[in-house]
Amino acid sequence: CRALAAAAEKTRVWGAAELDFRMYVCGATGKGCPAKTEIKIAPARDIQETLGKALLAAPASALQAMSVEPSSAVSREGYNKEFQKRVAFPPSDTSNQYTFDFETYLAFKQAATSLPDSKSKKRFTSEVGKKVLEAIVAGGETTQGGGSNKLPSGGETGVGKSMSGLLSAYDARKDGLGRALEGCVALLDELKGAGVLGDYSFKEDFDSEFWTPDGPPTTIEITSDLPAFLQASLQLSAEGSGVSADFASLGLSAYLANCNVRVEVNEYFVDKEYRPNPDDYQPSQLILQLSVQPLP
């Protein structure tokens, strides 16, 4: 009976209030603490050098376009120690996934501390999205090839079309969203091919009958495993920085805006493994939900 009780206790999923109280007792007494879970860090992917450097340069380039002087208040050494606690990475090799993640955080953290208010941060998001889109298009022209994900229409990306052709702007208000969905997949495939995205899935519920400015929004959902900006995005979100380091949503939003589409982005961080101790929280997946509508 004791063995069964112990097994039940070990596998029990605690409610939020119960877990909060248990963690309070754990912190105060050191007793009753939830079991720790072994955290396994995936091997680093290689990031394609040209696109990787262009993406990392995008925040500073956006600030320059806004005539904003970059802040010097960001301490590389201090933040480096915090990121290295999770996983060791070579400090200067941005072709390493985890170094790239750290450098992404620094670039966007510097931007966030350089911008005084939400209005300027909103403009920065638009400007950096344009720079990210330019980098992806330029990268796609030099690494032309077939994509790995099926298009909504059943075709495949990169077949018979240049990257600039796939991501060229058109008026989705009158021509519908179909071509834009094809461009979205092409953009995501380019990021994946460069190592910036891991495996991903792409879902959408577009219905031409409801594609109007006053109709219900179309939802695009992208689920990505271990994107190379995951920790940067998580940290900036936790800090309430007001900026996003999510290169995928930034590029997609800029592209869709060029097609006269209004975009609202929500991001969710998911740990696919249940961990009884909240201190072990280790997100490995990013879910992006884009709500899109044609502009009036």
Side-chain angles (χ1 to χ4, degrees), residues 125-126 128-134 136-137 151 161-172 176-188 202 220 247-263 290 292 295:
T125 298
S126 175
V128 77
K130 295 174 187 176
K131 302 299 180 184
V132 168
L133 180 60
E134 289 172 5
I136 294 170
V137 171
L151 294 175
K161 294 184 180 181
S162 67
M163 180 60 69
S164 58
L166 282 165
L167 295 181
S168 60
Y170 76 104
D171 194 347
L177 194 62
R179 183 175 151 195
L181 295 174
E182 180 179 346
C184 288
V185 174
L187 183 153
L188 294 168
F202 182 94
I220 300 172
F247 290 118
S249 68
L250 289 168
L252 289 171
S253 296
Y255 166 61
L256 291 169
N258 287 345
C259 300
N260 294 313
V261 175
R262 180 171 58 242
V263 184
L290 280 64
V292 301
L295 290 170

Side-chain angles (χ1 to χ4, degrees), residues 2 5 90 121 136 142 188 201 212 252 255 263 269 278 280-281:
R2 289 183 180 178
K121 290 177 180 179
I136 294 170
T142 59
L188 294 168
S201 63
T212 64
L252 289 171
Y255 166 61
V263 184
F269 303 94
D280 294 339
Y281 174 61

Side-chain angles (χ1 to χ4, degrees), residues 40-105:
K40 297 179 181 179
I41 304 296
R45 293 193 304 271
D46 289 333
I47 306 297
Q48 200 273 330
E49 183 178 10
T50 302
L51 180 55
K53 288 184 176 180
L55 292 176
L56 290 175
S61 183
L63 289 179
Q64 185 177 20
M66 296 170 63
S67 300
V68 173
E69 189 70 25
S71 169
S72 59
V74 178
S75 168
R76 168 179 291 272
E77 182 179 351
Y79 292 119
N80 180 60
K81 289 180 180 178
E82 289 303 311
F83 270 67
Q84 292 274 6
K85 286 180 181 178
R86 176 179 172 273
V87 57
F89 53 83
S92 59
D93 182 10
T94 55
S95 67
N96 178 288
Q97 174 186 348
Y98 299 119
T99 307
F100 179 87
D101 200 344
F102 172 62
E103 293 294 337
T104 296
Y105 172 76

Side-chain angles (χ1 to χ4, degrees), residues 1 9 18 39 58 76 92 95 97 163 189 202 222 288:
C1 290
E9 178 72 11
E18 292 176 305
I39 297 175
R76 168 179 291 272
S92 59
S95 67
Q97 174 186 348
M163 180 60 69
D189 272 348
F202 182 94
I222 300 115
L288 295 176

Side-chain angles (χ1 to χ4, degrees), residues 10-29:
K10 186 176 181 180
T11 58
R12 177 182 176 185
V13 177
W14 292 77
E18 292 176 305
L19 188 56
D20 284 345
F21 179 72
R22 190 177 184 189
M23 291 304 294
Y24 171 78
V25 173
C26 171
T29 68

